[in-house]
């Protein structure tokens, strides 16, 4: 076989023949490397989906136990008809997000809600719970960020975390009249929405219309209750946000795994076609060389 091919190499330029083979092999190698990387990515996304599914089931159970904290804390403000005075409003927003990504538009929705209110009222101060909200808001509204809390989302939130956050907000030194806790409210495995919970200062509560309905309420009792209610609302909103985040990450990783599977099928088909084309071209060159040698004889 080598005797019949060697004379043909003298007739066909060597750069052309070996250049075609090198291009074919380079293409095969590039496709093979990309195929391997996509398969590795699919393994990672499938593993993350399984982890998120386990964390989601726990977060959903914890959320059912935390909901009475949030519902009970809101009842007092509604029954007492607490409202700030419009002429002296100083608002404080608390963005409930986390430090972790790869979970769809969970954090973007919270930041978009706050960004819309900041465009109308630039005096609003924002406390970012989690680096994701800080990263989005600091591009245009870095001066409005009063405090940032890190290390959020790695572990399930507890009431102790909410109590520490409440203590940090009280000791911040910013005297606000009212504000909102912006978070993601969990609806179902594939559905969540941005919601808010109201918070008020001591002066707003003391000037409430129906506060005299409650007996034996002095300033210390109201202050203690406001601290407890803020911790309860933060705990509830953090549980809602954690459950929404895990469900969204589970859905996102499932979609990513499906997309990686489709890409693997396409790359496998391209790889097989390219390999078949290289083999066919080499066979044609060998047969053509043998035929040319026979015709010469």
């Amino acid at each position: 076989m080598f005797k019949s091919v060697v004379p043909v190499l003298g007739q066909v330029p060597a750069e052309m023949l070996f250049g075609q083979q090198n291009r074919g092999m380079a293409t095969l190698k590039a496709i093979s490397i990309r195929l391997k990387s996509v398969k590795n990515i699919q393994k990672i996304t499938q593993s993350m989906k399984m982890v998120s599914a386990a964390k989601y089931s726990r977060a959903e159970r914890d959320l059912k136990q935390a909901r009475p904290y949030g519902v009970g804390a809101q009842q007092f403000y509604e029954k007492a008809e607490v409202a700030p005075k419009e002429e002296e409003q100083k608002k404080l927003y608390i963005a409930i997000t986390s430090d972790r990504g790869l979970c769809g538009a969970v954090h973007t929705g919270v930041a978009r809600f706050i960004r819309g209110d900041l465009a109308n009222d630039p005096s609003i101060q924002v406390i970012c719970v989690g680096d994701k909200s800080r990263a989005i808001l600091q591009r245009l509204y870095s001066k409005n960020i009063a405090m940032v809390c890190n290390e959020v989302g790695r572990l399930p939130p507890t009431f102790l975390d909410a109590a520490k956050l409440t203590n940090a907000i009280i000791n911040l030194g910013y005297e606000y009249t009212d504000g909102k806790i912006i978070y993601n409210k969990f609806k179902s495995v594939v559905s969540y929405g941005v919601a808010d919970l109201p918070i008020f200062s001591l002066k707003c509560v003391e000037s409430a219309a129906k506060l005299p309905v409650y007996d034996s309420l002095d300033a210390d009792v109201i202050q203690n209750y406001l601290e407890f209610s803020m911790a309860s609302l933060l705990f509830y909103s953090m549980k809602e946000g954690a459950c929404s985040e895990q469900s969204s990450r589970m859905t996102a990783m499932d979609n990513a795994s499906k997309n990686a599977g489709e890409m693997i099928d396409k790359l496998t088909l391209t790889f097989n076609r390219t390999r078949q084309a290289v083999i066919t071209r080499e066979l044609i060159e060998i047969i053509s060389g043998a035929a040319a040698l026979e015709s010469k004889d």
Side-chain angles (χ1 to χ4, degrees), residues 66-296:
R67 272 181 178 153
Y69 287 89
V71 175
Q74 294 179 68
Q75 291 296 320
F76 172 75
Y77 299 131
E78 294 177 0
K79 300 296 183 181
E81 296 183 0
V82 181
K85 297 180 180 179
E86 296 183 358
E87 61 271 10
E88 53 181 28
Q89 275 189 321
K90 294 177 67 176
K91 293 186 177 181
L92 177 68
Y93 280 15
I94 304 174
I96 303 297
T97 57
S98 72
D99 296 348
R100 306 184 66 191
L102 298 175
C103 51
V106 169
H107 309 312
T108 309
V110 173
R112 189 185 297 116
F113 182 94
I114 297 175
R115 215 161 37 184
D117 286 1
L118 285 173
N120 299 325
D121 187 2
S123 64
I124 298 175
Q125 293 294 307
V126 182
I127 294 177
C128 297
V129 181
D131 271 338
K132 290 300 178 179
S133 57
R134 177 196 59 81
I136 299 173
L137 293 174
Q138 75 174 357
R139 299 170 188 171
L140 298 175
Y141 302 102
S142 58
K143 295 181 180 179
N144 297 85
I145 299 177
M147 186 176 67
V148 179
C149 301
N150 297 325
E151 296 297 326
V152 181
R154 187 171 57 87
L155 297 174
T158 61
F159 193 85
L160 179 60
D161 298 331
K164 291 180 179 178
L165 179 58
T166 302
N167 187 47
I169 294 172
I170 293 173
N171 297 327
L172 183 62
Y174 179 71
E175 296 182 359
Y176 63 93
T177 57
D178 65 312
K180 294 180 181 179
I181 300 175
I182 315 299
Y183 67 102
N184 285 293
K185 187 176 181 62
F186 175 77
K187 297 179 181 179
S188 66
V189 183
V190 293
S191 178
Y192 60 89
V194 179
D196 61 271
L197 296 171
I199 55 174
F200 299 97
S201 65
L202 179 62
K203 293 181 180 180
C204 288
V205 175
E206 288 178 342
S207 61
K210 294 186 178 181
L211 185 64
V213 175
Y214 299 91
D215 297 331
S216 302
L217 288 181
D218 54 10
D220 292 336
V221 173
I222 296 175
Q223 179 64 35
N224 292 335
Y225 178 77
L226 286 180
E227 294 178 6
F228 175 76
S229 64
M230 179 181 286
S232 301
L233 291 173
L234 286 172
F235 175 63
Y236 166 68
S237 58
M238 290 168 72
K239 284 295 185 182
E240 288 273 8
C243 191
S244 302
E245 179 184 348
Q246 295 301 335
S247 65
S248 180
R249 181 176 289 111
M250 183 174 59
T251 304
M253 292 300 102
D254 183 40
N255 294 334
S257 300
K258 291 179 181 178
N259 294 337
E262 294 177 0
M263 189 177 293
I264 288 171
D265 294 339
K266 292 180 181 179
L267 288 174
T268 303
L269 183 61
T270 304
F271 179 83
N272 292 336
R273 285 179 176 175
T274 306
R275 183 178 62 179
Q276 187 65 35
V278 172
I279 294 173
T280 304
R281 186 172 62 246
E282 291 178 352
L283 289 175
I284 291 173
E285 290 169 355
I286 293 173
I287 295 171
S288 300
L293 187 61
E294 290 178 1
S295 61
K296 184 177 180 180

Side-chain angles (χ1 to χ4, degrees), residues 34-45:
R34 189 177 180 188
L35 184 61
K36 185 178 180 180
S37 65
V38 174
K39 287 182 178 179
N40 291 335
I41 291 173
Q42 188 185 40
K43 292 179 181 178
I44 295 172
T45 55

